[in-house]
Amino acid sequence: MYQQVDRVRHDGVMSKQPKYHQVADVLRRDIVGGAYPPGARLPSESELQERFEASRNTVRAGLKLLASEGLISSSQGLGYEVRKYEVFELNASRFENLTFPQNGDSYTTDVTNAGRRPSQTFRVEMTPTPEYIAERLKVEAGSTSVLRFCHRFVDDVPWSTQATHYPEWLISKAPRLTEPGDIAEGTTRYMAGLGIEQVGYHDEIATRMPTPDEARLLEIGAGVPVLLWTRTGYSEERPIRCTITTFRGDLNRMNYEIGDLSARSESEPQ
Amino acid sequence: MYQQVDRVRHDGVMSKQPKYHQVADVLRRDIVGGAYPPGARLPSESELQERFEASRNTVRAGLKLLASEGLISSSQGLGYEVRKYEVFELNASRFENLTFPQNGDSYTTDVTNAGRRPSQTFRVEMTPTPEYIAERLKVEAGSTSVLRFCHRFVDDVPWSTQATHYPEWLISKAPRLTEPGDIAEGTTRYMAGLGIEQVGYHDEIATRMPTPDEARLLEIGAGVPVLLWTRTGYSEERPIRCTITTFRGDLNRMNYEIGDLSARSESEPQ
DNA sequence: CTGCTCAACTTGTTGGTACAAGCTGATGTA
DNA sequence: TACATCAGCTTGTACCAACAAGTTGAGCAG
């Protein structure tokens, strides 16, 4: 039943790969070669059983491999389909405007400019500072901080979650941070008006597979990682905010422009 | 055999989750709660069968779920173990030194400073420009370009691959780019000495699951995404290089420091 | 004591069966 | 015609059995 040698591949070539691996390889080649374009439906499991002369378990193992690579997705009753991407560009560096609004405005503007419809839910909490945040805000882990949380959608597709923490000492200086509603002019501008100016920031970018919570909020299927963007904003004296944004990795790409890029913008008139 | 209602969870609470999902949930809780610290070995499949009163396949489905989240890994004959991370920080923004060497020096310095041992293999090719690169270099797709390829290790663990493409028109101006060996002073400095100065760059950061090739080169197991870093360097006139770096997502984190961060560096004397 | 063999563990692969549950179009009834 | 029902497709879950193959340590032969 289980042999690693003398196995004949689908194309007739000998191979030492397990059979489910060969199933995945052939289908992957078909997909990247364009035989199944993005959005196309793959043959059903039973058809693939015949095609590869394999049991259902074996075929499913191969399909699961492709799903974990993010190439395909499946739904009960509908079959397997080739995943289609649609990347949204994020501009992370804007020197000319270090105090651009973080909560809402930048996102709303970018999405609207791209001809898409933004929407979001919003929440404010007082919460103990998690250790990861506390390190960056230079406060004690567990001390209270203001958490302003955003769940963002583009055309009703979940896009990102954003959690901004403000340290406790800021509350007395900028009390509106604790207000449950949106701050129209943006938190950065509001704080700048109070003399708390963000003069620099530190960005950290990491990636990993989503936690079950993240997978639920962002409606992420198997094989799609998240992109984690941590931005710590500084006044001249100390850190004043720490924002963690969690993006769907298949839908977003971050951009940083550094130095003189006149050569780039000149020749890109569109 | 297959019921979604009236199923009793391991802790005695009713649940509509499939059983393999419950297995994963309980184990995940144990792992993040510290019952199984990083590097620890999980109970064997047969032990888990008894603990959860489930078949081997069901237990394996739960374990596979955790593996696809990047929480655990398994090896034949050895069992399952909790994955341990060790993040390496990458400094992507260095304003003071826009012409810092890209091929080798920056990596070697950073890794050595961290007390680790860097090593790499290196290769130079003349190759047709892939479309993705051609767009960024503003040359025709398929036109020849110089590809300088690096496969980098830290303490003999595969860390990243880096592919830098130089457009064809540069070759006559900077012929040493096609030399198969390393350029001691760094390509950026070499080109600057010839009057081709990199005055700005555009970074793009994306994430996805590795292709089989990437998984092989970087020795990536299931559940670990890659971090893709595309840097396009510009002279005052036009793009002069495009570098794609592929990192293991579990081992790397990118850092950008923008604006005035005196408040950060002051209070971090280490 | 050294070194080899092998039993007993581990996970990996492949086959099978059965039923649950989601989706769609055909069919039949009002 | 309008609508509900259902057969027949799809994938999802759960079980069983068997054998392959990597790892380790006990135990035996030299």
Side-chain angles (χ1 to χ4, degrees):
Chain A
M1 253 196 261
Y2 173 51
Q3 292 178 223
Q4 279 222 323
V5 286
D6 286 36
R7 184 181 293 136
V8 177
R9 277 210 325 225
H10 188 255
D11 51 3
V13 178
M14 299 299 237
S15 164
K16 282 169 203 155
Q17 292 265 310
K19 200 189 254 191
Y20 78 97
H21 219 306
Q22 301 172 29
V23 171
D25 286 344
V26 172
L27 290 176
R28 189 187 302 108
R29 200 189 53 198
D30 288 351
I31 290 170
V32 301
Y36 302 110
R41 197 174 165 285
L42 288 177
S44 72
E45 291 176 355
S46 38
E47 288 177 276
L48 293 173
Q49 282 184 57
E50 288 185 23
R51 177 170 170 192
F52 291 104
E53 291 174 5
S55 73
R56 189 173 170 217
N57 281 347
T58 304
V59 167
R60 282 176 65 84
L63 290 165
K64 193 157 195 170
L65 193 56
L66 295 179
S68 75
E69 292 173 12
L71 268 182
I72 64 173
S73 62
S74 63
S75 14
Q76 196 168 1
L78 284 174
Y80 294 80
E81 80 167 42
V82 181
R83 200 166 259 162
K84 41 177 181 276
Y85 299 64
E86 188 180 4
V87 177
F88 188 74
E89 305 281 345
L90 300 158
N91 288 305
S93 60
R94 304 193 178 186
F95 299 106
E96 71 284 355
N97 181 15
L98 261 178
T99 59
F100 81 89
Q102 280 238 348
N103 278 320
D105 286 20
S106 167
Y107 154 79
T108 306
T109 313
D110 282 357
V111 173
T112 308
N113 285 346
R116 315 289 292 276
R117 197 173 54 75
S119 58
Q120 58 182 321
T121 67
F122 186 75
R123 197 176 80 228
V124 177
E125 281 177 33
M126 303 294 290
T127 178
T129 314
E131 194 180 324
Y132 179 86
I133 303 283
E135 282 172 20
R136 281 153 184 79
L137 286 179
K138 302 218 168 81
V139 299
E140 237 173 279
S143 67
T144 305
S145 62
V146 182
L147 165 61
R148 298 176 70 86
F149 184 86
C150 248
H151 189 187
R152 290 174 173 163
F153 304 78
V154 173
D155 295 341
D156 295 320
V157 175
W159 218 259
S160 65
T161 67
Q162 188 173 75
T164 302
H165 288 257
Y166 298 90
E168 194 169 22
W169 61 264
L170 247 179
I171 304 177
S172 56
K173 302 190 178 189
R176 283 183 61 201
L177 285 178
T178 61
E179 284 179 16
D182 217 358
I183 295 182
E185 71 269 33
T187 54
T188 314
R189 205 170 294 161
Y190 162 62
M191 281 161 56
L194 299 171
I196 306 160
E197 200 154 352
Q198 178 170 298
V199 296
Y201 46 78
H202 174 212
D203 282 9
E204 298 164 78
I205 299 168
T207 182
R208 58 169 167 70
M209 296 314 281
T211 64
D213 276 347
E214 289 167 347
R216 189 173 40 80
L217 280 176
L218 298 175
E219 287 173 24
I220 291 183
V224 178
V226 292
L227 193 62
L228 296 173
W229 179 28
T230 306
R231 168 164 287 187
T232 311
Y234 290 79
S235 73
E236 275 174 27
E237 291 86 30
R238 58 209 289 196
I240 54 175
R241 60 140 57 84
C242 184
T243 303
I244 298 189
T245 311
T246 308
F247 293 106
R248 280 182 57 158
D250 57 341
L251 299 178
N252 292 278
R253 188 164 62 194
M254 305 214 56
N255 289 272
Y256 285 86
E257 298 180 354
I258 295 178
D260 172 15
L261 284 180
S262 51
R264 175 164 186 260
S265 36
E266 262 169 28
S267 34
E268 281 190 342
Q270 66 277 20
Chain B
M1 251 196 257
Y2 172 50
Q3 294 178 222
Q4 278 222 327
V5 285
D6 287 33
R7 183 181 293 136
V8 178
R9 278 212 322 228
H10 189 254
D11 51 3
V13 179
M14 298 300 235
S15 164
K16 280 170 204 156
Q17 290 266 311
K19 199 191 253 189
Y20 79 97
H21 219 307
Q22 301 172 30
V23 171
D25 286 345
V26 172
L27 290 176
R28 189 187 302 107
R29 201 189 52 199
D30 288 351
I31 291 169
V32 301
Y36 302 110
R41 195 174 166 288
L42 258 54
S44 73
E45 291 176 355
S46 39
E47 289 175 277
L48 293 173
Q49 282 185 57
E50 287 184 24
R51 176 170 168 193
F52 291 104
E53 291 174 6
S55 74
R56 185 172 172 219
N57 281 348
T58 303
V59 167
R60 282 175 67 82
L63 290 165
K64 193 156 194 170
L65 194 56
L66 295 179
S68 76
E69 293 173 12
L71 268 182
I72 63 174
S73 61
S74 63
S75 13
Q76 196 169 0
L78 285 175
Y80 294 81
E81 81 167 39
V82 180
R83 198 167 260 160
K84 42 176 180 270
Y85 298 65
E86 189 179 3
V87 177
F88 187 75
E89 305 280 347
L90 301 158
N91 289 306
S93 60
R94 306 195 176 183
F95 297 106
E96 71 284 354
N97 180 14
L98 261 179
T99 60
F100 79 90
Q102 279 238 349
N103 278 320
D105 288 19
S106 166
Y107 154 80
T108 306
T109 313
D110 283 358
V111 173
T112 308
N113 285 346
R116 316 289 292 275
R117 195 173 55 77
S119 58
Q120 59 183 321
T121 68
F122 185 75
R123 195 176 83 229
V124 177
E125 282 178 33
M126 302 293 290
T127 178
T129 314
E131 195 182 321
Y132 179 87
I133 303 282
E135 283 172 20
R136 282 152 184 78
L137 287 179
K138 300 217 169 82
V139 299
E140 237 173 282
S143 66
T144 306
S145 62
V146 182
L147 165 61
R148 298 177 71 86
F149 185 86
C150 245
H151 190 186
R152 292 176 171 162
F153 304 78
V154 172
D155 294 340
D156 293 320
V157 175
W159 218 257
S160 65
T161 67
Q162 188 173 78
T164 302
H165 289 258
Y166 298 90
E168 194 169 21
W169 61 265
L170 248 178
I171 303 177
S172 55
K173 302 191 180 190
R176 283 183 59 202
L177 285 179
T178 61
E179 285 179 15
D182 219 357
I183 296 182
E185 70 269 35
T187 53
T188 313
R189 206 170 293 163
Y190 162 63
M191 281 160 56
L194 299 171
I196 307 161
E197 199 154 352
Q198 178 170 296
V199 296
Y201 46 78
H202 174 212
D203 282 8
E204 299 165 78
I205 299 167
T207 182
R208 57 168 166 72
M209 296 313 282
T211 64
D213 277 347
E214 289 167 347
R216 188 174 41 79
L217 280 175
L218 298 175
E219 288 173 23
I220 290 183
V224 178
V226 292
L227 193 61
L228 296 173
W229 179 27
T230 305
R231 167 163 289 187
T232 310
Y234 290 79
S235 74
E236 274 174 28
E237 291 86 29
R238 57 208 290 194
I240 54 175
R241 61 141 56 86
C242 184
T243 304
I244 298 190
T245 311
T246 307
F247 294 106
R248 280 182 55 158
D250 58 341
L251 299 178
N252 292 278
R253 188 164 60 194
M254 305 214 55
N255 290 272
Y256 284 87
E257 298 180 354
I258 294 178
D260 172 16
L261 285 179
S262 51
R264 175 163 186 260
S265 36
E266 263 170 27
S267 33
E268 281 189 343
Q270 68 277 20

